[in-house]
PDB file of all heavy atoms in Angstrom:
ATOM      1  N   VAL A1166      -3.935   7.333 -12.958  1.00  0.00           N
ATOM      2  CA  VAL A1166      -2.472   7.298 -12.847  1.00  0.00           C
ATOM      3  C   VAL A1166      -1.973   6.496 -11.646  1.00  0.00           C
ATOM      4  O   VAL A1166      -0.783   6.152 -11.603  1.00  0.00           O
ATOM      5  CB  VAL A1166      -1.892   8.730 -12.798  1.00  0.00           C
ATOM      6  CG1 VAL A1166      -2.243   9.489 -14.071  1.00  0.00           C
ATOM      7  CG2 VAL A1166      -2.387   9.488 -11.576  1.00  0.00           C
ATOM      8  N   LEU A1167      -2.830   6.188 -10.686  1.00  0.00           N
ATOM      9  CA  LEU A1167      -2.405   5.457  -9.486  1.00  0.00           C
ATOM     10  C   LEU A1167      -2.838   3.999  -9.564  1.00  0.00           C
ATOM     11  O   LEU A1167      -3.962   3.707  -9.969  1.00  0.00           O
ATOM     12  CB  LEU A1167      -3.010   6.093  -8.233  1.00  0.00           C
ATOM     13  CG  LEU A1167      -2.547   7.511  -7.886  1.00  0.00           C
ATOM     14  CD1 LEU A1167      -3.360   8.050  -6.710  1.00  0.00           C
ATOM     15  CD2 LEU A1167      -1.055   7.536  -7.548  1.00  0.00           C
ATOM     16  N   ASP A1168      -1.962   3.101  -9.164  1.00  0.00           N
ATOM     17  CA  ASP A1168      -2.368   1.702  -9.087  1.00  0.00           C
ATOM     18  C   ASP A1168      -3.234   1.496  -7.845  1.00  0.00           C
ATOM     19  O   ASP A1168      -3.376   2.403  -7.004  1.00  0.00           O
ATOM     20  CB  ASP A1168      -1.154   0.764  -9.097  1.00  0.00           C
ATOM     21  CG  ASP A1168      -0.200   1.001  -7.927  1.00  0.00           C
ATOM     22  OD1 ASP A1168      -0.605   1.644  -6.931  1.00  0.00           O
ATOM     23  OD2 ASP A1168       0.952   0.533  -8.000  1.00  0.00           O
ATOM     24  N   VAL A1169      -3.833   0.317  -7.726  1.00  0.00           N
ATOM     25  CA  VAL A1169      -4.794   0.081  -6.635  1.00  0.00           C
ATOM     26  C   VAL A1169      -4.162   0.251  -5.259  1.00  0.00           C
ATOM     27  O   VAL A1169      -4.735   0.930  -4.393  1.00  0.00           O
ATOM     28  CB  VAL A1169      -5.456  -1.303  -6.786  1.00  0.00           C
ATOM     29  CG1 VAL A1169      -6.325  -1.619  -5.567  1.00  0.00           C
ATOM     30  CG2 VAL A1169      -6.305  -1.349  -8.058  1.00  0.00           C
ATOM     31  N   PRO A1170      -2.987  -0.331  -4.977  1.00  0.00           N
ATOM     32  CA  PRO A1170      -2.403  -0.128  -3.638  1.00  0.00           C
ATOM     33  C   PRO A1170      -2.170   1.349  -3.301  1.00  0.00           C
ATOM     34  O   PRO A1170      -2.411   1.778  -2.166  1.00  0.00           O
ATOM     35  CB  PRO A1170      -1.086  -0.904  -3.718  1.00  0.00           C
ATOM     36  CG  PRO A1170      -1.319  -1.958  -4.736  1.00  0.00           C
ATOM     37  CD  PRO A1170      -2.187  -1.293  -5.770  1.00  0.00           C
ATOM     38  N   SER A1171      -1.724   2.125  -4.278  1.00  0.00           N
ATOM     39  CA  SER A1171      -1.503   3.557  -4.029  1.00  0.00           C
ATOM     40  C   SER A1171      -2.817   4.286  -3.807  1.00  0.00           C
ATOM     41  O   SER A1171      -2.907   5.200  -2.974  1.00  0.00           O
ATOM     42  CB  SER A1171      -0.752   4.191  -5.207  1.00  0.00           C
ATOM     43  OG  SER A1171       0.530   3.631  -5.345  1.00  0.00           O
ATOM     44  N   ARG A1172      -3.846   3.889  -4.528  1.00  0.00           N
ATOM     45  CA  ARG A1172      -5.154   4.503  -4.336  1.00  0.00           C
ATOM     46  C   ARG A1172      -5.690   4.207  -2.943  1.00  0.00           C
ATOM     47  O   ARG A1172      -6.300   5.072  -2.304  1.00  0.00           O
ATOM     48  CB  ARG A1172      -6.125   4.019  -5.406  1.00  0.00           C
ATOM     49  CG  ARG A1172      -5.854   4.642  -6.771  1.00  0.00           C
ATOM     50  CD  ARG A1172      -6.549   3.912  -7.890  1.00  0.00           C
ATOM     51  NE  ARG A1172      -7.988   3.883  -7.726  1.00  0.00           N
ATOM     52  CZ  ARG A1172      -8.821   3.214  -8.517  1.00  0.00           C
ATOM     53  NH1 ARG A1172      -8.327   2.525  -9.530  1.00  0.00           N
ATOM     54  NH2 ARG A1172     -10.101   3.242  -8.310  1.00  0.00           N
ATOM     55  N   VAL A1173      -5.488   2.981  -2.483  1.00  0.00           N
ATOM     56  CA  VAL A1173      -5.941   2.617  -1.138  1.00  0.00           C
ATOM     57  C   VAL A1173      -5.194   3.449  -0.087  1.00  0.00           C
ATOM     58  O   VAL A1173      -5.802   3.983   0.856  1.00  0.00           O
ATOM     59  CB  VAL A1173      -5.752   1.116  -0.889  1.00  0.00           C
ATOM     60  CG1 VAL A1173      -5.987   0.772   0.581  1.00  0.00           C
ATOM     61  CG2 VAL A1173      -6.702   0.309  -1.773  1.00  0.00           C
ATOM     62  N   LYS A1174      -3.869   3.578  -0.248  1.00  0.00           N
ATOM     63  CA  LYS A1174      -3.076   4.388   0.692  1.00  0.00           C
ATOM     64  C   LYS A1174      -3.548   5.833   0.694  1.00  0.00           C
ATOM     65  O   LYS A1174      -3.714   6.450   1.748  1.00  0.00           O
ATOM     66  CB  LYS A1174      -1.597   4.323   0.317  1.00  0.00           C
ATOM     67  CG  LYS A1174      -0.902   3.004   0.612  1.00  0.00           C
ATOM     68  CD  LYS A1174       0.541   3.070   0.123  1.00  0.00           C
ATOM     69  CE  LYS A1174       1.266   1.741   0.336  1.00  0.00           C
ATOM     70  NZ  LYS A1174       1.600   1.523   1.742  1.00  0.00           N
ATOM     71  N   LEU A1175      -3.747   6.389  -0.493  1.00  0.00           N
ATOM     72  CA  LEU A1175      -4.162   7.789  -0.590  1.00  0.00           C
ATOM     73  C   LEU A1175      -5.561   7.981  -0.024  1.00  0.00           C
ATOM     74  O   LEU A1175      -5.815   8.949   0.703  1.00  0.00           O
ATOM     75  CB  LEU A1175      -4.101   8.249  -2.050  1.00  0.00           C
ATOM     76  CG  LEU A1175      -4.571   9.688  -2.313  1.00  0.00           C
ATOM     77  CD1 LEU A1175      -3.787  10.687  -1.486  1.00  0.00           C
ATOM     78  CD2 LEU A1175      -4.455  10.017  -3.805  1.00  0.00           C
ATOM     79  N   ALA A1176      -6.480   7.086  -0.350  1.00  0.00           N
ATOM     80  CA  ALA A1176      -7.846   7.204   0.167  1.00  0.00           C
ATOM     81  C   ALA A1176      -7.857   7.144   1.689  1.00  0.00           C
ATOM     82  O   ALA A1176      -8.564   7.922   2.350  1.00  0.00           O
ATOM     83  CB  ALA A1176      -8.722   6.104  -0.419  1.00  0.00           C
ATOM     84  N   ASP A1177      -7.081   6.242   2.245  1.00  0.00           N
ATOM     85  CA  ASP A1177      -7.001   6.133   3.701  1.00  0.00           C
ATOM     86  C   ASP A1177      -6.464   7.428   4.298  1.00  0.00           C
ATOM     87  O   ASP A1177      -7.010   7.958   5.277  1.00  0.00           O
ATOM     88  CB  ASP A1177      -6.098   4.950   4.059  1.00  0.00           C
ATOM     89  CG  ASP A1177      -6.069   4.657   5.553  1.00  0.00           C
ATOM     90  OD1 ASP A1177      -7.017   5.060   6.264  1.00  0.00           O
ATOM     91  OD2 ASP A1177      -5.101   4.029   6.014  1.00  0.00           O
ATOM     92  N   ALA A1178      -5.405   7.965   3.709  1.00  0.00           N
ATOM     93  CA  ALA A1178      -4.807   9.193   4.231  1.00  0.00           C
ATOM     94  C   ALA A1178      -5.760  10.378   4.100  1.00  0.00           C
ATOM     95  O   ALA A1178      -5.882  11.200   5.019  1.00  0.00           O
ATOM     96  CB  ALA A1178      -3.496   9.480   3.491  1.00  0.00           C
ATOM     97  N   LEU A1179      -6.440  10.491   2.969  1.00  0.00           N
ATOM     98  CA  LEU A1179      -7.399  11.583   2.785  1.00  0.00           C
ATOM     99  C   LEU A1179      -8.537  11.488   3.790  1.00  0.00           C
ATOM    100  O   LEU A1179      -8.991  12.498   4.340  1.00  0.00           O
ATOM    101  CB  LEU A1179      -7.956  11.548   1.353  1.00  0.00           C
ATOM    102  CG  LEU A1179      -7.034  12.049   0.252  1.00  0.00           C
ATOM    103  CD1 LEU A1179      -7.583  11.655  -1.128  1.00  0.00           C
ATOM    104  CD2 LEU A1179      -6.857  13.565   0.332  1.00  0.00           C
ATOM    105  N   TRP A1180      -9.019  10.275   4.022  1.00  0.00           N
ATOM    106  CA  TRP A1180     -10.111  10.088   4.987  1.00  0.00           C
ATOM    107  C   TRP A1180      -9.672  10.526   6.382  1.00  0.00           C
ATOM    108  O   TRP A1180     -10.432  11.178   7.103  1.00  0.00           O
ATOM    109  CB  TRP A1180     -10.539   8.625   4.997  1.00  0.00           C
ATOM    110  CG  TRP A1180     -11.758   8.368   5.837  1.00  0.00           C
ATOM    111  CD1 TRP A1180     -11.791   8.042   7.173  1.00  0.00           C
ATOM    112  CD2 TRP A1180     -13.131   8.437   5.429  1.00  0.00           C
ATOM    113  NE1 TRP A1180     -13.087   7.895   7.611  1.00  0.00           N
ATOM    114  CE2 TRP A1180     -13.922   8.133   6.548  1.00  0.00           C
ATOM    115  CE3 TRP A1180     -13.748   8.723   4.205  1.00  0.00           C
ATOM    116  CZ2 TRP A1180     -15.317   8.097   6.491  1.00  0.00           C
ATOM    117  CZ3 TRP A1180     -15.141   8.694   4.157  1.00  0.00           C
ATOM    118  CH2 TRP A1180     -15.905   8.383   5.283  1.00  0.00           C
ATOM    119  N   GLN A1181      -8.438  10.176   6.755  1.00  0.00           N
ATOM    120  CA  GLN A1181      -7.958  10.480   8.103  1.00  0.00           C
ATOM    121  C   GLN A1181      -7.758  11.971   8.346  1.00  0.00           C
ATOM    122  O   GLN A1181      -7.672  12.410   9.492  1.00  0.00           O
ATOM    123  CB  GLN A1181      -6.649   9.728   8.379  1.00  0.00           C
ATOM    124  CG  GLN A1181      -6.768   8.211   8.346  1.00  0.00           C
ATOM    125  CD  GLN A1181      -7.834   7.674   9.286  1.00  0.00           C
ATOM    126  OE1 GLN A1181      -8.052   8.214  10.365  1.00  0.00           O
ATOM    127  NE2 GLN A1181      -8.519   6.614   8.856  1.00  0.00           N
ATOM    128  N   THR A1182      -7.713  12.784   7.288  1.00  0.00           N
ATOM    129  CA  THR A1182      -7.601  14.232   7.487  1.00  0.00           C
ATOM    130  C   THR A1182      -8.838  14.798   8.163  1.00  0.00           C
ATOM    131  O   THR A1182      -8.777  15.874   8.763  1.00  0.00           O
ATOM    132  CB  THR A1182      -7.410  14.973   6.151  1.00  0.00           C
ATOM    133  OG1 THR A1182      -8.594  14.842   5.347  1.00  0.00           O
ATOM    134  CG2 THR A1182      -6.193  14.458   5.403  1.00  0.00           C
ATOM    135  N   ASN A1183      -9.961  14.121   8.022  1.00  0.00           N
ATOM    136  CA  ASN A1183     -11.254  14.585   8.539  1.00  0.00           C
ATOM    137  C   ASN A1183     -11.730  15.859   7.847  1.00  0.00           C
ATOM    138  O   ASN A1183     -12.697  16.488   8.290  1.00  0.00           O
ATOM    139  CB  ASN A1183     -11.219  14.799  10.063  1.00  0.00           C
ATOM    140  CG  ASN A1183     -12.610  14.942  10.662  1.00  0.00           C
ATOM    141  OD1 ASN A1183     -13.562  14.299  10.209  1.00  0.00           O
ATOM    142  ND2 ASN A1183     -12.752  15.801  11.656  1.00  0.00           N
ATOM    143  N   ILE A1184     -11.087  16.254   6.776  1.00  0.00           N
ATOM    144  CA  ILE A1184     -11.567  17.388   5.980  1.00  0.00           C
ATOM    145  C   ILE A1184     -12.727  16.894   5.115  1.00  0.00           C
ATOM    146  O   ILE A1184     -12.653  15.812   4.531  1.00  0.00           O
ATOM    147  CB  ILE A1184     -10.430  17.938   5.092  1.00  0.00           C
ATOM    148  CG1 ILE A1184      -9.300  18.492   5.967  1.00  0.00           C
ATOM    149  CG2 ILE A1184     -10.947  19.010   4.142  1.00  0.00           C
ATOM    150  CD1 ILE A1184      -8.045  18.856   5.183  1.00  0.00           C
ATOM    151  N   HIS A1185     -13.781  17.677   5.044  1.00  0.00           N
ATOM    152  CA  HIS A1185     -14.967  17.265   4.296  1.00  0.00           C
ATOM    153  C   HIS A1185     -14.609  16.838   2.879  1.00  0.00           C
ATOM    154  O   HIS A1185     -14.950  15.735   2.439  1.00  0.00           O
ATOM    155  CB  HIS A1185     -15.980  18.413   4.270  1.00  0.00           C
ATOM    156  CG  HIS A1185     -17.206  18.141   3.463  1.00  0.00           C
ATOM    157  ND1 HIS A1185     -18.258  17.374   3.931  1.00  0.00           N
ATOM    158  CD2 HIS A1185     -17.551  18.523   2.196  1.00  0.00           C
ATOM    159  CE1 HIS A1185     -19.193  17.293   3.008  1.00  0.00           C
ATOM    160  NE2 HIS A1185     -18.779  17.983   1.941  1.00  0.00           N
ATOM    161  N   GLU A1186     -13.923  17.701   2.157  1.00  0.00           N
ATOM    162  CA  GLU A1186     -13.566  17.379   0.772  1.00  0.00           C
ATOM    163  C   GLU A1186     -12.555  16.246   0.695  1.00  0.00           C
ATOM    164  O   GLU A1186     -12.533  15.497  -0.293  1.00  0.00           O
ATOM    165  CB  GLU A1186     -13.002  18.622   0.064  1.00  0.00           C
ATOM    166  CG  GLU A1186     -14.039  19.690  -0.213  1.00  0.00           C
ATOM    167  CD  GLU A1186     -14.304  20.604   0.973  1.00  0.00           C
ATOM    168  OE1 GLU A1186     -13.743  20.354   2.076  1.00  0.00           O
ATOM    169  OE2 GLU A1186     -15.057  21.576   0.807  1.00  0.00           O
ATOM    170  N   GLY A1187     -11.716  16.094   1.717  1.00  0.00           N
ATOM    171  CA  GLY A1187     -10.785  14.982   1.753  1.00  0.00           C
ATOM    172  C   GLY A1187     -11.509  13.655   1.838  1.00  0.00           C
ATOM    173  O   GLY A1187     -11.157  12.692   1.143  1.00  0.00           O
ATOM    174  N   ARG A1188     -12.545  13.597   2.657  1.00  0.00           N
ATOM    175  CA  ARG A1188     -13.310  12.361   2.780  1.00  0.00           C
ATOM    176  C   ARG A1188     -14.131  12.082   1.517  1.00  0.00           C
ATOM    177  O   ARG A1188     -14.246  10.934   1.093  1.00  0.00           O
ATOM    178  CB  ARG A1188     -14.203  12.416   4.019  1.00  0.00           C
ATOM    179  CG  ARG A1188     -13.388  12.359   5.303  1.00  0.00           C
ATOM    180  CD  ARG A1188     -14.167  12.010   6.534  1.00  0.00           C
ATOM    181  NE  ARG A1188     -13.243  11.576   7.590  1.00  0.00           N
ATOM    182  CZ  ARG A1188     -13.620  11.181   8.791  1.00  0.00           C
ATOM    183  NH1 ARG A1188     -14.906  11.151   9.134  1.00  0.00           N
ATOM    184  NH2 ARG A1188     -12.714  10.793   9.686  1.00  0.00           N
ATOM    185  N   LEU A1189     -14.687  13.125   0.923  1.00  0.00           N
ATOM    186  CA  LEU A1189     -15.404  12.914  -0.338  1.00  0.00           C
ATOM    187  C   LEU A1189     -14.449  12.410  -1.426  1.00  0.00           C
ATOM    188  O   LEU A1189     -14.775  11.482  -2.170  1.00  0.00           O
ATOM    189  CB  LEU A1189     -16.079  14.206  -0.786  1.00  0.00           C
ATOM    190  CG  LEU A1189     -17.556  14.392  -0.397  1.00  0.00           C
ATOM    191  CD1 LEU A1189     -17.763  14.255   1.104  1.00  0.00           C
ATOM    192  CD2 LEU A1189     -18.084  15.725  -0.894  1.00  0.00           C
ATOM    193  N   ALA A1190     -13.279  13.008  -1.501  1.00  0.00           N
ATOM    194  CA  ALA A1190     -12.305  12.582  -2.507  1.00  0.00           C
ATOM    195  C   ALA A1190     -11.844  11.148  -2.251  1.00  0.00           C
ATOM    196  O   ALA A1190     -11.635  10.380  -3.200  1.00  0.00           O
ATOM    197  CB  ALA A1190     -11.105  13.531  -2.500  1.00  0.00           C
ATOM    198  N   ALA A1191     -11.690  10.784  -0.990  1.00  0.00           N
ATOM    199  CA  ALA A1191     -11.297   9.415  -0.652  1.00  0.00           C
ATOM    200  C   ALA A1191     -12.316   8.422  -1.197  1.00  0.00           C
ATOM    201  O   ALA A1191     -11.954   7.398  -1.795  1.00  0.00           O
ATOM    202  CB  ALA A1191     -11.163   9.268   0.861  1.00  0.00           C
ATOM    203  N   ALA A1192     -13.591   8.735  -0.998  1.00  0.00           N
ATOM    204  CA  ALA A1192     -14.645   7.842  -1.489  1.00  0.00           C
ATOM    205  C   ALA A1192     -14.680   7.811  -3.014  1.00  0.00           C
ATOM    206  O   ALA A1192     -14.793   6.742  -3.624  1.00  0.00           O
ATOM    207  CB  ALA A1192     -15.998   8.286  -0.937  1.00  0.00           C
ATOM    208  N   LYS A1193     -14.572   8.982  -3.633  1.00  0.00           N
ATOM    209  CA  LYS A1193     -14.609   9.046  -5.098  1.00  0.00           C
ATOM    210  C   LYS A1193     -13.427   8.298  -5.710  1.00  0.00           C
ATOM    211  O   LYS A1193     -13.547   7.694  -6.785  1.00  0.00           O
ATOM    212  CB  LYS A1193     -14.598  10.510  -5.561  1.00  0.00           C
ATOM    213  CG  LYS A1193     -15.873  11.292  -5.239  1.00  0.00           C
ATOM    214  CD  LYS A1193     -15.722  12.750  -5.615  1.00  0.00           C
ATOM    215  CE  LYS A1193     -16.928  13.584  -5.227  1.00  0.00           C
ATOM    216  NZ  LYS A1193     -18.132  13.235  -5.992  1.00  0.00           N
ATOM    217  N   LEU A1194     -12.295   8.325  -5.032  1.00  0.00           N
ATOM    218  CA  LEU A1194     -11.098   7.648  -5.528  1.00  0.00           C
ATOM    219  C   LEU A1194     -11.318   6.143  -5.649  1.00  0.00           C
ATOM    220  O   LEU A1194     -10.685   5.479  -6.473  1.00  0.00           O
ATOM    221  CB  LEU A1194      -9.929   7.943  -4.582  1.00  0.00           C
ATOM    222  CG  LEU A1194      -8.525   7.542  -4.992  1.00  0.00           C
ATOM    223  CD1 LEU A1194      -8.118   8.203  -6.300  1.00  0.00           C
ATOM    224  CD2 LEU A1194      -7.539   7.924  -3.881  1.00  0.00           C
ATOM    225  N   LEU A1195     -12.231   5.614  -4.831  1.00  0.00           N
ATOM    226  CA  LEU A1195     -12.485   4.171  -4.814  1.00  0.00           C
ATOM    227  C   LEU A1195     -13.815   3.801  -5.459  1.00  0.00           C
ATOM    228  O   LEU A1195     -14.242   2.645  -5.377  1.00  0.00           O
ATOM    229  CB  LEU A1195     -12.462   3.667  -3.364  1.00  0.00           C
ATOM    230  CG  LEU A1195     -11.168   3.926  -2.591  1.00  0.00           C
ATOM    231  CD1 LEU A1195     -11.272   3.374  -1.175  1.00  0.00           C
ATOM    232  CD2 LEU A1195      -9.962   3.332  -3.312  1.00  0.00           C
ATOM    233  N   THR A1196     -14.483   4.754  -6.084  1.00  0.00           N
ATOM    234  CA  THR A1196     -15.771   4.495  -6.730  1.00  0.00           C
ATOM    235  C   THR A1196     -15.529   4.159  -8.196  1.00  0.00           C
ATOM    236  O   THR A1196     -15.389   5.042  -9.044  1.00  0.00           O
ATOM    237  CB  THR A1196     -16.703   5.709  -6.602  1.00  0.00           C
ATOM    238  OG1 THR A1196     -16.866   6.040  -5.224  1.00  0.00           O
ATOM    239  CG2 THR A1196     -18.078   5.401  -7.193  1.00  0.00           C
ATOM    240  N   GLN A1197     -15.453   2.869  -8.473  1.00  0.00           N
ATOM    241  CA  GLN A1197     -15.184   2.399  -9.828  1.00  0.00           C
ATOM    242  C   GLN A1197     -15.656   0.962  -9.916  1.00  0.00           C
ATOM    243  O   GLN A1197     -15.458   0.168  -8.999  1.00  0.00           O
ATOM    244  CB  GLN A1197     -13.691   2.491 -10.136  1.00  0.00           C
ATOM    245  CG  GLN A1197     -13.308   2.113 -11.552  1.00  0.00           C
ATOM    246  CD  GLN A1197     -11.825   2.327 -11.800  1.00  0.00           C
ATOM    247  OE1 GLN A1197     -11.151   3.036 -11.063  1.00  0.00           O
ATOM    248  NE2 GLN A1197     -11.314   1.700 -12.848  1.00  0.00           N
ATOM    249  N   ALA A1198     -16.296   0.616 -11.015  1.00  0.00           N
ATOM    250  CA  ALA A1198     -16.864  -0.729 -11.145  1.00  0.00           C
ATOM    251  C   ALA A1198     -15.781  -1.796 -11.161  1.00  0.00           C
ATOM    252  O   ALA A1198     -15.865  -2.784 -10.439  1.00  0.00           O
ATOM    253  CB  ALA A1198     -17.719  -0.811 -12.410  1.00  0.00           C
ATOM    254  N   ARG A1199     -14.754  -1.610 -11.989  1.00  0.00           N
ATOM    255  CA  ARG A1199     -13.719  -2.624 -12.156  1.00  0.00           C
ATOM    256  C   ARG A1199     -12.465  -2.226 -11.378  1.00  0.00           C
ATOM    257  O   ARG A1199     -11.752  -1.291 -11.758  1.00  0.00           O
ATOM    258  CB  ARG A1199     -13.384  -2.821 -13.636  1.00  0.00           C
ATOM    259  CG  ARG A1199     -14.540  -3.387 -14.455  1.00  0.00           C
ATOM    260  CD  ARG A1199     -14.154  -3.548 -15.913  1.00  0.00           C
ATOM    261  NE  ARG A1199     -13.073  -4.508 -16.089  1.00  0.00           N
ATOM    262  CZ  ARG A1199     -13.238  -5.825 -16.163  1.00  0.00           C
ATOM    263  NH1 ARG A1199     -14.466  -6.343 -16.064  1.00  0.00           N
ATOM    264  NH2 ARG A1199     -12.215  -6.632 -16.339  1.00  0.00           N
ATOM    265  N   ILE A1200     -12.248  -2.925 -10.271  1.00  0.00           N
ATOM    266  CA  ILE A1200     -11.025  -2.770  -9.490  1.00  0.00           C
ATOM    267  C   ILE A1200     -10.515  -4.181  -9.193  1.00  0.00           C
ATOM    268  O   ILE A1200     -11.219  -4.986  -8.575  1.00  0.00           O
ATOM    269  CB  ILE A1200     -11.254  -2.017  -8.168  1.00  0.00           C
ATOM    270  CG1 ILE A1200     -11.798  -0.608  -8.418  1.00  0.00           C
ATOM    271  CG2 ILE A1200      -9.957  -1.935  -7.369  1.00  0.00           C
ATOM    272  CD1 ILE A1200     -12.077   0.183  -7.141  1.00  0.00           C
ATOM    273  N   ARG A1201      -9.317  -4.464  -9.631  1.00  0.00           N
ATOM    274  CA  ARG A1201      -8.722  -5.784  -9.394  1.00  0.00           C
ATOM    275  C   ARG A1201      -7.291  -5.614  -8.895  1.00  0.00           C
ATOM    276  O   ARG A1201      -6.501  -4.958  -9.555  1.00  0.00           O
ATOM    277  CB  ARG A1201      -8.714  -6.605 -10.696  1.00  0.00           C
ATOM    278  CG  ARG A1201     -10.067  -6.894 -11.281  1.00  0.00           C
ATOM    279  CD  ARG A1201     -10.823  -7.933 -10.416  1.00  0.00           C
ATOM    280  NE  ARG A1201     -12.065  -8.313 -11.073  1.00  0.00           N
ATOM    281  CZ  ARG A1201     -13.207  -7.673 -10.953  1.00  0.00           C
ATOM    282  NH1 ARG A1201     -13.254  -6.576 -10.201  1.00  0.00           N
ATOM    283  NH2 ARG A1201     -14.297  -8.092 -11.566  1.00  0.00           N
ATOM    284  N   PRO A1202      -6.994  -6.229  -7.740  1.00  0.00           N
ATOM    285  CA  PRO A1202      -7.903  -6.870  -6.794  1.00  0.00           C
ATOM    286  C   PRO A1202      -8.617  -5.808  -5.956  1.00  0.00           C
ATOM    287  O   PRO A1202      -8.159  -4.663  -5.901  1.00  0.00           O
ATOM    288  CB  PRO A1202      -6.955  -7.718  -5.945  1.00  0.00           C
ATOM    289  CG  PRO A1202      -5.674  -6.950  -5.957  1.00  0.00           C
ATOM    290  CD  PRO A1202      -5.583  -6.315  -7.318  1.00  0.00           C
ATOM    291  N   ASP A1203      -9.705  -6.190  -5.302  1.00  0.00           N
ATOM    292  CA  ASP A1203     -10.478  -5.186  -4.566  1.00  0.00           C
ATOM    293  C   ASP A1203     -10.688  -5.511  -3.096  1.00  0.00           C
ATOM    294  O   ASP A1203     -11.434  -4.814  -2.410  1.00  0.00           O
ATOM    295  CB  ASP A1203     -11.824  -4.951  -5.254  1.00  0.00           C
ATOM    296  CG  ASP A1203     -12.797  -6.101  -5.057  1.00  0.00           C
ATOM    297  OD1 ASP A1203     -12.366  -7.206  -4.666  1.00  0.00           O
ATOM    298  OD2 ASP A1203     -14.008  -5.902  -5.290  1.00  0.00           O
TER     299      ASP A1203
END
């Protein structure tokens, strides 16, 4: 449901929480073979 720019913003914000699950979710949010642009 999120476009790439929104995913990048959300992943960055989740990572900055320093919560374990937040950082895992940040990485999973960006784990995809086809991302354009990347």
